[in-house]
Amino acid sequence: MSAAKRPSVPVLKNLATQLRIDSIRSTTAAGSGHPTTCMSAAEIMATLFFAEMRFDPKNPQHAGADRFVLSKGHAAPILYAAWAAAGLFPREQVMDLRKIDSDLEGHPTPRLPFVDVATGSLGQGICAAIGTALNARRIGSGYRTYVLLGDGESAEGSVWEAAEAGAFHALDNLCGVTDVNAYGQSRATQLAHNLDALAARWTAFGWHAITVDGHDVEALLEAYDEARATKGKPTMILARTFKGQGVASIAGKDGWHGKALKAGEEADAAIRELEALYVKTDDPAPSIPAPAAVKDEPAVDHMKAIAAPAYKLGDLVATREAYGTALAALGKVDPRVVALDADVKNSTFSDRFEKAFPERFYQMFIAEQVMVGAAMGLAARGAIPFPSSFACFLYRAADFVRMAGVSFSNMKLAGSHVGVSIGEDGPSQMALEDL
């Protein structure tokens, strides 16, 4: 969104205040949740949704819309509040948070039309964002992917697997924002508010790093402009924030993770304090720009389109070799098919797909978590990903496979070298757990 069309700073500040209030209201009504981690991200969410991203509030799955992944999934209440503020559903519906008959769960899942992948198992959202960014390149779309991380979850190794992959694939259509509020669940994070140290890490991994005051609306807008102008590498915005920002009794305080404010005076006083922050303005409400049109991908009848294999009765063919041959055949008839590898393509024979369709083959090197996570992101945007490795090494990504199930991901995991023995290599290469 160009600066000329962006809503005014007072309007964005008021939206941030509204998001904080709704996060408190919904978690207090539910009696559980994470209001303080929502409150630290309020300006980030307000500026992203109402001054930066292009999307259709009435059609979250528009193929050309910018994508948003909430990697810190426990901040779900503010995600729901943002979509309500955008007009997808009535604002009062956020009060259904965590009810047994509501899809507004404590952590977001794709049962909601504006959620691409289930998050909340920390360190996974940024891996999925790699996949959604790769998919834009696959379909020739200009949509951008934004992902919001917490500084606590940045201790996860999968975050740094994603950092490597994002830099290697030069994903300049990917912008991360880390909500550096200095606290995890049980204590302060390792680096607290040391933004310089965090920036040095992301820079070392090949990203463009920007440090900002995460409660400064104008600074955030400038950071988004800088990210959009950065070519050849992804951007990570490191935003210094405070948990519970806006309510003096809890702002920047330890011991408030995962605690809702008590119904009655505690919550009411906090909301009054926030309501006093509203700025009187006659500036117009935000007008979210529509995404660019994207052609639908053609459906394929594989039973009619794919050629039969050329094997003869009595041929001895390794199953992994048959996999590589079949994968290349599928890729020929369906442009949605993509393959991901963890540096074993010449053992799994997925290199046959790479030779035929190099633009749809994504090398993640020896990093199985980001391989499966990126497959989740690709699948969420309509690709049909085939991530493959030795079966035993897919256990590295076991939690990603679990969350792919929660996400209803249409991915096809392929593990080779299964079973009791693969010969002289020994037990480290055997998928004994398959038994």
Side-chain angles (χ1 to χ4, degrees):
M1 188 186 296
S2 67
K5 295 181 180 178
R6 278 174 168 159
S8 69
V9 170
V11 167
L12 291 171
K13 287 183 176 179
N14 285 347
L15 279 164
T17 296
Q18 176 179 317
L19 298 181
R20 286 191 173 98
I21 290 171
D22 284 354
S23 296
I24 290 176
R25 291 171 64 235
S26 61
T27 52
T28 296
S32 63
H34 300 76
T36 58
T37 200
C38 294
M39 296 163 75
S40 66
E43 282 81 11
I44 297 169
M45 294 292 286
T47 51
L48 272 178
F49 272 73
F50 301 102
E52 174 62 13
M53 290 168 53
R54 298 171 172 86
F55 63 98
D56 182 352
K58 297 298 185 183
N59 179 18
Q61 285 298 316
H62 190 292
D66 288 344
R67 310 315 304 170
F68 176 77
V69 182
L70 182 66
S71 197
K72 49 177 274 181
H74 52 293
I78 200 168
L79 176 66
Y80 306 153
W83 277 100
L88 180 62
F89 53 85
R91 185 179 172 191
E92 280 306 304
Q93 197 172 323
V94 301
M95 302 302 285
D96 292 339
L97 176 72
R98 294 184 171 228
K99 289 182 179 178
I100 195 168
D101 59 349
S102 171
D103 285 336
L104 300 182
E105 297 187 64
H107 295 76
T109 77
R111 279 190 287 273
L112 298 162
F114 50 87
V115 175
D116 283 344
V117 294
T119 56
S121 184
L122 294 175
Q124 294 200 17
I126 187 171
C127 295
I130 297 291
T132 62
L134 286 170
N135 186 72
R137 184 176 292 172
R138 178 184 72 87
I139 65 173
S141 172
Y143 79 71
R144 291 176 61 77
T145 296
Y146 298 87
V147 55
L148 178 59
L149 297 86
D151 52 340
E153 75 172 303
S154 297
E156 288 281 6
S158 57
V159 170
W160 303 103
E161 288 188 13
E164 291 177 323
F168 176 77
H169 290 285
L171 295 176
D172 51 18
N173 61 349
L174 172 61
C175 178
V177 185
T178 303
D179 179 8
V180 188
N181 62 32
Y183 282 105
Q185 176 171 321
S186 65
R187 52 153 294 158
T189 56
Q190 301 104 311
L191 296 174
H193 276 141
N194 189 346
L195 296 190
D196 290 339
L198 285 165
R201 293 182 182 190
W202 284 98
T203 300
F205 273 84
W207 289 49
H208 177 56
I210 306 170
T211 59
V212 297
D213 177 345
H215 300 308
D216 184 332
V217 165
E218 292 172 287
L220 287 166
L221 297 179
E222 290 174 4
Y224 301 144
D225 288 339
E226 187 176 331
R228 191 179 288 274
T230 298
K231 302 304 178 186
K233 62 176 66 175
T235 295
M236 179 57 68
I237 299 169
L238 300 152
R240 184 177 188 267
T241 65
F242 292 91
K243 268 190 170 181
Q245 176 73 4
V247 176
S249 62
I250 59 176
K253 300 288 198 313
D254 194 6
W256 275 94
H257 184 90
K259 291 184 180 179
L261 277 72
K262 295 187 179 74
E265 182 55 25
E266 185 173 70
D268 293 346
I271 291 172
R272 287 196 301 270
E273 188 175 347
L274 287 167
E275 287 175 337
L277 299 177
Y278 278 123
V279 179
K280 183 174 175 56
T281 177
D282 294 324
D283 294 337
S287 178
I288 299 169
V294 177
K295 291 182 179 178
D296 291 334
E297 295 190 79
V300 177
D301 185 341
H302 298 102
M303 296 302 292
K304 292 181 179 179
I306 194 166
Y311 306 127
K312 297 176 182 177
L313 185 64
D315 286 350
L316 295 177
V317 181
T319 52
R320 57 195 170 108
E321 185 175 353
Y323 165 73
T325 300
L327 184 58
L330 278 174
K332 185 176 181 179
V333 301
D334 195 334
R336 298 172 300 171
V337 173
V338 301
L340 299 94
D341 178 50
D343 195 25
V344 290
K345 62 184 180 180
N346 53 345
S347 286
T348 62
F349 287 89
S350 64
D351 57 354
R352 293 184 177 179
F353 183 95
E354 180 187 26
K355 288 170 185 170
F357 310 103
E359 75 285 355
R360 286 189 270 144
F361 183 88
Y362 307 117
Q363 182 58 255
M364 296 296 164
F365 299 94
I366 305 171
E368 291 83 6
Q369 293 182 98
V370 72
M371 179 181 71
V372 178
M376 289 168 63
L378 281 155
R381 303 312 314 142
I384 303 174
F386 284 75
S388 51
S389 181
F390 285 26
C392 59
F393 301 144
L394 289 176
Y395 285 107
R396 295 258 187 168
D399 190 35
F400 282 77
V401 176
R402 178 179 70 90
M403 292 300 288
V406 178
S407 297
F408 316 112
S409 291
N410 181 25
M411 73 164 73
K412 320 298 180 183
L413 284 157
S416 66
H417 298 82
V418 298
V420 174
S421 175
I422 62 168
E424 295 83 354
D425 273 348
S428 71
Q429 313 297 298
M430 298 175 192
L432 297 173
E433 297 83 357
D434 289 347
L435 298 178

